[in-house]
Amino acid sequence: MDNQIVSRVEEALAPTIESMGFEVVDVEYVKRADGMNLTIYIDIPRGVTINDCEAVHNAVNPIIDNLNPTNDAPYIFNISSPGLDRPFKKLRDYERNYGREVEVKLYAPLKGKKVYEGVLLEKTDNLLRLQCNGKETTIETNRVALVRPLVKFE
């Protein structure tokens, strides 16, 4: 049922959100300490502000009310920025980050390591290519648990 809710919500809200200039990065319907949460993650190249989240929330709130995706089951509705270190989910996430540093976490060690940091060179259906410490590293995508931007605070 949760996947149906996510699909229905994304299908219903994406056109309005995209017409406002934002990309729907993810839709999540999960249980948290405060109950069920339905969260739409939006992005835009300049970055998302709190005012952006409020504007999108106001624009889609009537649509979500009419949709009634949970059949009257209570939930908390959120619009959020995906954050600096959000995991890559779609091919366009990878493509936007070619040439940038990423962190790759694996399900099981490869050459004694479960975490790789390097410059993302390419992502295909089967392979991920990185430049790590001056050497090219190729990782099969079925070994990859998570890829996200490498965020360094100085």
Side-chain angles (χ1 to χ4, degrees):
M1 180 171 163
D2 293 356
N3 286 340
Q4 289 176 342
I5 291 171
V6 166
S7 297
R8 287 181 60 217
V9 167
E10 186 167 3
E11 186 177 306
L13 301 186
T16 299
I17 294 169
E18 290 167 3
S19 75
M20 296 174 73
F22 298 94
E23 173 188 357
V24 175
V25 173
D26 199 10
V27 178
E28 190 178 71
Y29 182 62
V30 296
K31 185 173 185 169
R32 296 214 168 96
D34 57 356
M36 293 304 291
N37 279 250
L38 177 60
T39 305
I40 314 288
Y41 294 93
I42 60 171
D43 206 359
I44 196 166
R46 66 166 165 71
V48 176
T49 68
I50 190 74
N51 291 336
D52 294 332
C53 292
E54 181 181 13
V56 170
H57 188 280
N58 290 339
V60 300
N61 203 44
I63 300 167
I64 197 87
D65 284 347
N66 286 334
L67 184 64
N68 189 12
T70 63
N71 293 318
D72 295 325
Y75 65 93
I76 297 168
F77 182 53
N78 306 292
I79 303 292
S80 180
S81 158
L84 289 175
D85 65 344
R86 74 172 169 93
F88 298 167
K89 296 198 177 221
K90 300 176 181 174
L91 181 59
R92 68 178 174 254
D93 296 330
Y94 290 90
E95 291 170 344
R96 266 196 294 247
N97 285 280
Y98 287 165
R100 295 189 177 148
E101 287 187 292
V102 296
E103 175 185 40
V104 179
K105 292 187 177 185
L106 306 178
Y107 292 113
L110 173 66
K111 299 178 186 173
K113 292 173 59 177
K114 277 187 77 173
V115 178
Y116 285 79
E117 293 179 357
V119 175
L120 179 61
L121 301 175
E122 180 183 27
K123 197 258 185 214
T124 67
D125 288 341
N126 302 321
L127 296 174
L128 196 61
R129 287 191 321 115
L130 304 172
Q131 184 82 25
C132 301
N133 300 320
K135 296 179 184 176
E136 189 172 308
T137 301
T138 303
I139 303 170
E140 296 169 339
T141 54
N142 63 355
R143 296 174 142 281
V144 176
L146 174 94
V147 179
R148 64 180 170 199
L150 182 62
V151 179
K152 295 180 181 177
F153 296 99
E154 298 177 10

